[in-house]
Structure formats: C-alpha cells, structure tokens
C-alpha cells in the first residue's frame, strides 16, 4: 500500500511560481511511476505531468510544457512539480499519483492517489 501526501499549494499572482511536493511511503518508490493531475471546479481531473522510474523519462500536457517541471528524489521518496509562469487557468486542486507501471498518462493508469493540494492563481 502506497500513501501519498502533497504539500506546497497556495495563492500566487499570475506569472509567479510554486513548488509542489509529494511525500510517498510504502511500496518501492524507485520502481514506481509517478504523476501529477489537477482538477478545477466543475471539470474532470486532467493529466499534468508524469515521470517514469525508467531513466526518469518525463511527459507533460501541452498546456504546461515549458512552464512546469516534474522531478523525483528516490533517496527521499519524494516527487516534485516546479510550476513557473503560472496562469489563472492553472487554478485547481493538484493531485499526486503513483502507478505500478513504468509510466502512465491517464487517470485509470494510477493505483494510488494523494488527498490533493489547492493552487490558486490570481490575475
């Protein structure tokens, strides 16, 4: 059983930055694919970014590519999402997720989820 706890959300002005963290416990983190998703009010939860445990390969949603960076520290069992040049449309609850697959880009591909952290970007 993998447990995930996100932190680092908050309120930031448009153009600002935030760094989200996800602490993982249980399982073998170094052999776990990890991802970030987000859900805005009234919308479906959507893929943001993912990182494989195989050579740390990364994939991003087109709307965040070039602004967000996903990374992991296997020694600390931690996942990060550096978010720069934030926009009001990035406002959402951000979720950390873990998969037993090397990587997944879809919600149903993940086996474990955190409780989410709120990110609000003001214009």
């Amino acid at each position: 059983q993998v447990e995930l706890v996100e932190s680092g959300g908050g309120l930031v002005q448009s153009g600002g930055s935030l760094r989200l963290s996800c602490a993982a416990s249980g399982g073998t983190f170094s052999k776990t694919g990890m991802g970030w998703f987000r859900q805005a009010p009234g919308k479906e939860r959507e893929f943001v970014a993912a990182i494989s445990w195989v050579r740390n390969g990364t994939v991003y949603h087109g709307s965040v590519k070039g602004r967000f960076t996903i990374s992991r520290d296997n020694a600390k069992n931690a996942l990060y999402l550096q978010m720069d040049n934030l926009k009001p449309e990035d406002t959402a609850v951000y979720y950390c997720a873990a998969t037993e697959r090397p990587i997944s880009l879809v919600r149903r591909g993940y086996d474990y989820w955190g409780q989410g952290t709120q990110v609000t970007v003001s214009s």
Side-chain angles (χ1 to χ4, degrees):
Q1 184 76 12
V2 176
E3 293 188 0
L4 304 170
V5 179
E6 303 95 335
S7 61
L11 173 64
V12 63
Q13 288 188 333
S14 182
S17 297
L18 280 176
R19 189 193 195 207
L20 304 184
S21 298
C22 174
S25 59
T28 304
F29 185 77
S30 61
K31 295 289 180 66
T32 302
M34 300 296 297
W36 288 100
F37 286 72
R38 66 186 181 188
Q39 188 166 15
K43 294 188 176 181
E44 294 287 321
R45 192 171 299 187
E46 66 174 5
F47 169 78
V48 175
I51 185 166
S52 172
W53 58 266
V54 180
R55 293 188 293 276
N56 284 350
T58 58
V59 181
Y60 296 90
H61 188 279
S63 65
V64 307
K65 197 169 186 178
R67 300 189 297 121
F68 291 10
T69 303
I70 187 172
S71 62
R72 63 191 298 161
D73 185 336
N74 290 340
K76 296 182 178 180
N77 284 1
L79 176 73
Y80 305 103
L81 186 68
Q82 177 66 40
M83 305 186 294
D84 298 317
N85 190 20
L86 282 160
K87 304 176 181 181
E89 51 264 42
D90 295 318
T91 295
V93 176
Y94 283 71
Y95 296 89
C96 169
T99 176
E100 296 178 357
R101 300 164 179 79
I103 195 169
S104 180
L105 309 186
V106 297
R107 182 177 178 179
R108 64 180 180 275
Y110 286 85
D111 307 293
Y112 306 99
W113 294 85
Q115 83 289 347
T117 185
Q118 176 70 47
V119 171
T120 303
V121 184
S122 63
S123 57

